């Protein structure tokens, strides 16, 4: 299996991102309809639901691709600007639409009270990755009450991973051994040190959880030419994951198997999947717009909306909005990359130290 290239038309990352974003939408349908306790994947694994696993998958792919981006960027500015152009324009639009369109449609307050409420102003800080979930009086009576966009919590952690990788690169620590030590340290903290020391920090738990997947993805990129990529290994790892379901060992196996399985599937030669993104990458839009749209559907249609219909409607509307966002906001924003100064050698020549 050839995984030397990360060119879009030579792998299945576009499809996997779309699949993961869609899985987040479907997974959230259970919780937003008040049926989260019967979510089938959570019942099967015993700990994580569909949306949780999809987020883990996102972070594996992100770690792999961001490592490639760092190595192939012309400069630190080039790397940082590309990441900012991907994250912030659509996030700003999503936040503004949620605040000034969705909020007024779903609040129990008068329009004047809503607009002048300090909580409305605080919600705008989501554009700066300061996570806020609540708008005044919005979705107060929904089955999953008050939370306006529950998906945005992962974005500060995503940017934290980018920043950590960038700092490793700047200090010339982004090499095979060092990048492998990072996820190993996070695994040790997440599974052993934090529980044994009684550290109940939600921020620490989320940082170590997402960091494990991100940096295992990065490690797989650096070791990609040394690792045996074949169906026998993939099938063995999948079997370990399935057989450990509903046991205390499942999450351990999940951490160790999902990264390999994700990158293996991303490079598996599957007819036409490598061309899946030829019309655009809608995954980010699906992710950041879907939650408030789903809450609005529940606000308008609950309890008359059956779960299958809610899933179909949620996914359809989310894809449509994401397509519009891609063509009007995200793709034009990414075109601004051509204005980034091109001076300097590639980071792979100037800063990557593959040995340490």
């Amino acid at each position: 299996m050839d995984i030397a290239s990360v060119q879009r038309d030579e792998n299945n990352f576009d499809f996997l991102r779309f699949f993961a974003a869609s899985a987040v939408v479907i997974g959230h349908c259970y919780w937003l309809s008040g049926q989260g306790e019967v979510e089938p994947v959570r019942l099967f694994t015993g700990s994580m639901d569909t949306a949780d696993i999809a987020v883990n998958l996102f972070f594996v792919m992100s770690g792999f691709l961001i490592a490639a981006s760092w190595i192939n960027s012309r400069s630190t500015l080039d790397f940082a600007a590309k990441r900012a152009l991907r994250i912030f324009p659509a996030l700003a639009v999503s936040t503004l639409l949620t605040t000034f369109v969705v909020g007024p449609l779903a609040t129990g307050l008068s329009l004047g009270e809503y607009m002048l409420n300090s909580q409305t102003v605080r919600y705008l800080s989501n554009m700066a990755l300061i996570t806020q979930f609540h708008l005044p009086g919005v979705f107060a009576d929904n089955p999953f009450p008050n939370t306006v966009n529950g998906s945005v919590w992962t974005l500060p952690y995503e940017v934290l991973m980018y920043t950590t990788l960038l700092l490793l690169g700047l200090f010339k620590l982004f090499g095979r051994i060092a990048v492998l030590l990072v996820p190993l340290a996070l695994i040790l903290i997440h599974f052993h040190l934090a529980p044994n020391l009684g550290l109940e920090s939600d921020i620490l738990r989320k940082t170590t959880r997402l960091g494990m997947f991100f940096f295992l993805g990065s490690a797989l990129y650096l070791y990609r030419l040394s690792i045996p990529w074949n169906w026998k290994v993939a099938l063995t790892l999948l079997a370990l994951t399935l057989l450990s379901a509903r046991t205390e060992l499942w999450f351990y196996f999940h951490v160790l198997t999902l990264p390999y399985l994700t990158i293996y599937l991303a490079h598996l030669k599957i007819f036409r999947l490598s061309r899946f993104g030829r019309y655009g990458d809608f995954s980010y839009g699906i992710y950041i717009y879907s939650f408030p749209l789903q809450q609005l559907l529940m606000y308008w249609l609950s309890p008359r909306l059956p779960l299958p219909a809610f899933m179909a409607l949620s996914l359809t509307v989310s894809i449509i909005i994401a397509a519009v966002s891609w063509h009007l906001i995200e793709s034009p924003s990414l075109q601004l990359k051509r204005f980034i100064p091109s001076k300097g050698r590639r980071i792979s020549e100037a800063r990557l130290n593959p040995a340490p």
Side-chain angles (χ1 to χ4, degrees), residues 86-105:
R86 189 68 187 100
I87 292 288
F88 288 103
L91 176 62
V93 172
S94 171
T95 303
L96 291 171
L97 286 176
T98 302
T99 305
F100 297 115
V101 177
V102 174
L105 288 173

Side-chain angles (χ1 to χ4, degrees), residues 1-55:
M1 178 180 288
D2 180 16
I3 62 166
S5 173
V6 291
Q7 294 297 318
R8 295 184 67 172
D9 58 353
E10 297 177 4
N11 57 60
N12 308 319
F13 280 115
D14 284 328
F15 171 77
L16 286 179
R17 280 194 294 260
F18 181 88
F19 172 81
S22 299
V24 168
V25 176
I26 297 301
H28 283 167
C29 284
Y30 286 92
W31 296 100
L32 299 184
S33 63
Q35 301 181 54
E37 296 305 319
V38 298
E39 205 273 353
V41 172
R42 187 178 188 87
L43 293 176
F44 177 75
T45 66
S47 56
M48 287 197 163
D49 60 25
T50 304
D52 291 328
I53 295 173
V55 167

Side-chain angles (χ1 to χ4, degrees), residues 217-340:
S218 296
L220 287 178
Y221 180 79
L222 292 188
Y223 283 93
R224 67 194 184 283
L225 301 181
S226 306
I227 295 173
W229 300 95
N230 61 69
W231 67 269
K232 295 179 182 178
V233 175
L235 193 60
T236 301
L237 295 178
L238 179 61
L240 287 173
T241 302
L242 296 177
L243 292 173
S244 62
R246 302 196 71 176
T247 72
E248 294 182 357
L249 295 176
W250 179 83
F251 190 52
Y252 290 93
F253 283 120
H254 178 62
V255 170
L256 298 176
T257 60
L258 183 69
Y260 182 98
L261 292 171
T262 300
I263 305 307
Y264 176 80
L265 288 173
H267 293 89
L268 194 63
K269 300 298 182 184
I270 302 175
F271 181 66
R272 293 189 180 277
L273 283 191
S274 62
R275 300 177 57 200
F276 186 84
R278 64 188 180 276
Y279 298 117
D281 180 3
F282 305 153
S283 58
Y284 183 52
I286 292 172
Y287 187 79
I288 62 173
Y289 293 106
S290 60
F291 199 105
L293 290 172
Q294 290 174 281
Q295 284 284 61
L296 194 58
L297 288 172
M298 290 305 299
Y299 175 79
W300 281 335
L301 302 175
S302 177
R304 301 182 304 276
L305 189 62
L307 182 59
F310 181 40
M311 289 178 174
L313 193 55
S314 294
L315 192 55
T316 301
V317 174
S318 297
I319 292 172
I320 292 171
I321 298 297
V324 173
S325 175
W326 171 259
H327 290 291
L328 296 185
I329 301 161
E330 297 165 61
S331 182
S333 297
L334 291 173
Q335 296 304 314
L336 298 176
K337 291 188 292 186
R338 64 181 183 271
F339 298 111
I340 301 171

Side-chain angles (χ1 to χ4, degrees), residues 71-123:
I71 291 172
N72 293 293
S73 292
R74 297 186 298 263
S75 65
T76 303
L77 175 61
D78 180 48
F79 174 82
K82 287 187 291 187
R83 305 282 67 76
L85 290 172
R86 189 68 187 100
I87 292 288
F88 288 103
L91 176 62
V93 172
S94 171
T95 303
L96 291 171
L97 286 176
T98 302
T99 305
F100 297 115
V101 177
V102 174
L105 288 173
T107 184
L109 305 179
S110 69
L111 184 59
E113 290 175 320
Y114 172 82
M115 289 298 184
L116 295 175
N117 195 292
S118 62
Q119 198 171 46
T120 304
V121 177
R122 285 198 300 273
Y123 190 85

